[in-house]
Amino acid sequence: MGIDDVWILTLNAGSSSLKFAAYQANTDQQIIAGQIAAIGPSAKMVLNGNSVSIDADNYADAVRAVFKTLLDHSALSPTPAIIGHRIVHGGKLHAAAEISPEVGLEIEAAAALAPLHNPPALAVIDAVNDILPDVRQLACFDTTFHADNPQVATTLPIPKDLRDKGLRRYGFHGLSYASLVRRFHDVTGVPLPHRILALHLGAGASLAAIVDGKGVATTMGFSPMDGLVMATRAGAMDVGVILHLIRTEGMDADDLERMLNRESGLFALSNGNADMKSLLASDDPAAEFAVAHHCYWISRHAGSMIAAMQGIDGFIFTGGVGENAAYIRDEILRQLSWTGDLPHWVIPADEEGEIANAAKNALFS
C-alpha cells in the first residue's frame, strides 16, 4: 500500500445515529461521508443526499453497514490506517488517546456524565474491535478543548471530597471549537481575533469564550445538560427546582434525567416542537415565545462569556442553527449590540475533520 492509499476513518456515534467519513491521509481530502440515521427498526443509510432503508437494529449492525459501504468505494483500500472516534466525555482524559483497555475503562467511567453519547461510542468501539481487531483506534474528546480553562472557571463550589471524585465543570462541543480555531484563517482569510465568542447552536448548544485560540470559559459544565436552553434540554437549572420536584412530584433520578434531557427546552416551551426551522416558520404564540426565550438566554449567557474574556473582538456562529438560521444570528447580535460594531463570521462545523486531523497526527507522529 502506497502513501496515496492510506486513509483515515472517523466515526461519530450519536444517541440514535452513526456519522462516518473517510479521508485521504496525505492530503486531508474527504473521500466519502454519510450517516446511519434512526438506528433501530427504521434505520436509514444517508449518503450523497439519498436515504435508503437498511437493517441496523443496533450499533454493531450500523458499523457493519458502514464498512460494507466503504468496501464498495473504488477509491478506498480495504482497511483504514486508523479510526478516530468522537467521544463526548473524556472524564480524567484531557487529550486524544489511542484506545486501549485502560482508555476504554475511562470512557466507560464517564458514561454516566454523558449518557446519550458515551455508551453508543463504546458500542461502536467494541463493534470495530470485532470486525477489525488490528486497526488502531483513537478517542477524541469533546472535553479536551476546555481542559485548560482556569481553575476558577471549572471548580464546583461543593465539598472537597466530592471534587476529588472528578465533579467539576468540563465543557463540551470541544471538537467543534478546536476546528473553528484551527481553520479560522483558512476559511475567513483574516487572523483569529484576540477575544472571540464562539456560538455552537444546534439541537445541543453552547458558547465558548476563546482568547488567543485557547478556551477560557464555556456554558456547558459537569454535563452537556448545562448552560443554554436547547432543543430538548433545559440548560442551566436552579437546583431548588430539582429538590422541589423530588419532594413534591415523587420524581427520581431517571425521571429527572428524562425530563431535563428529552422533554424540556424548546420542546417544552413550544408544547412539543424542538425543530428550530419549523418554530421560526410558525405563527403559534408558544413557538414565538420559545424562539424569543432561546435568544434571550443565549445573549444573557454571552454576557458572562464576554466578562470572562474581559471584552470581545468578534463572534463566530456554527452548528445547524448557527449556520442556517439568519434570524437567530441577527437577534442575538441585536441583543449584544452594546458590545459595539464587531465582525461576525459563519463557519460550518467540522467535527469529523478535526477528528481526522488528530488521527493523522497520531498516525504520522
Side-chain angles (χ1 to χ4, degrees):
M1 184 188 300
I3 186 66
D4 291 339
D5 298 320
V6 175
W7 60 283
I8 292 166
L9 174 62
T10 67
L11 296 174
N12 182 344
S15 58
S16 62
S17 65
L18 178 62
K19 295 180 182 178
F20 63 91
Y23 294 82
Q24 191 173 51
N26 66 322
T27 65
D28 297 328
Q29 178 183 351
Q30 188 182 89
I31 301 167
I32 183 174
Q35 72 167 310
I36 312 293
I39 293 172
S42 303
K44 297 181 183 299
M45 170 70 77
V46 182
L47 193 65
N48 300 323
N50 299 314
S51 178
V52 180
S53 295
I54 62 168
D55 291 326
D57 288 335
N58 52 51
Y59 287 93
D61 290 344
V63 171
R64 283 189 285 270
V66 167
F67 280 119
K68 183 178 184 302
T69 297
L70 297 174
L71 283 172
D72 291 340
H73 198 285
S74 60
L76 297 174
S77 58
T79 306
I82 190 169
I83 299 173
H85 297 264
R86 178 197 177 208
I87 310 295
V88 166
H89 209 306
K92 296 177 182 177
L93 300 173
H94 297 319
E98 195 145 345
I99 296 173
S100 63
E102 293 76 19
V103 169
L105 288 174
E106 288 292 343
I107 296 171
E108 186 174 4
L113 310 182
L116 299 183
H117 296 93
N118 275 34
L122 286 166
V124 169
I125 291 167
D126 288 343
V128 171
N129 278 331
D130 289 340
I131 298 168
L132 295 174
D134 296 326
V135 172
R136 296 169 65 186
Q137 297 189 68
L138 186 76
C140 301
F141 304 110
D142 256 336
T143 46
T144 296
F145 184 78
H146 310 289
D148 292 328
N149 279 191
Q151 190 174 7
V152 69
T154 61
T155 300
L156 294 173
I158 57 177
K160 186 176 183 301
D161 62 326
L162 295 175
R163 300 198 306 269
D164 289 343
K165 293 180 179 180
L167 275 69
R168 51 163 284 180
R169 295 182 62 84
Y170 287 95
F172 302 90
H173 290 141
L175 292 169
S176 176
Y177 294 129
S179 176
L180 294 179
V181 169
R182 182 173 61 86
R183 296 182 295 129
F184 186 86
H185 183 268
D186 290 341
V187 173
T188 67
V190 300
L192 183 72
H194 169 49
R195 298 168 299 190
I196 195 98
L197 179 64
L199 301 91
H200 181 110
L201 306 180
S206 69
L207 310 179
I210 301 171
V211 176
D212 294 332
K214 304 292 185 182
V216 298
T218 189
T219 52
M220 284 181 171
F222 175 69
S223 79
M225 295 170 64
D226 195 13
L228 307 182
V229 176
M230 301 175 235
T232 62
R233 283 173 260 179
M237 177 62 61
D238 180 350
V239 294
V241 174
I242 309 301
L243 296 173
H244 177 79
L245 293 173
I246 293 170
R247 290 168 176 153
T248 65
E249 303 296 325
M251 299 180 79
D252 61 18
D254 290 340
D255 296 328
L256 289 164
E257 191 278 330
R258 183 181 64 255
M259 183 193 78
L260 295 173
N261 239 343
R262 301 175 185 271
E263 300 171 354
S264 298
L266 296 173
F267 180 84
L269 294 171
S270 66
N271 301 319
N273 186 356
D275 178 68
M276 181 57 73
K277 185 176 181 180
S278 61
L279 287 172
L280 288 170
S282 175
D283 58 4
D284 182 349
E288 294 175 355
F289 178 77
V291 171
H293 188 280
H294 187 60
C295 293
Y296 169 84
W297 281 101
I298 291 172
S299 303
R300 184 161 161 178
H301 280 284
S304 73
M305 296 293 103
I306 293 169
M309 295 187 288
Q310 291 292 283
I312 184 169
D313 302 305
F315 303 88
I316 306 174
F317 290 89
T318 193
V321 173
E323 295 165 31
N324 298 301
Y327 175 83
I328 298 297
R329 295 195 303 269
D330 291 345
E331 182 61 16
I332 291 167
L333 291 172
R334 183 189 69 78
Q335 294 190 34
L336 295 174
S337 60
W338 53 269
T339 60
D341 186 17
L342 297 176
H344 73 275
W345 298 269
V346 178
I347 300 179
D350 187 19
E351 292 168 331
E352 282 72 27
E354 191 64 20
I355 296 168
N357 184 67
K360 178 182 177 179
N361 291 338
L363 187 62
F364 296 123
S365 62

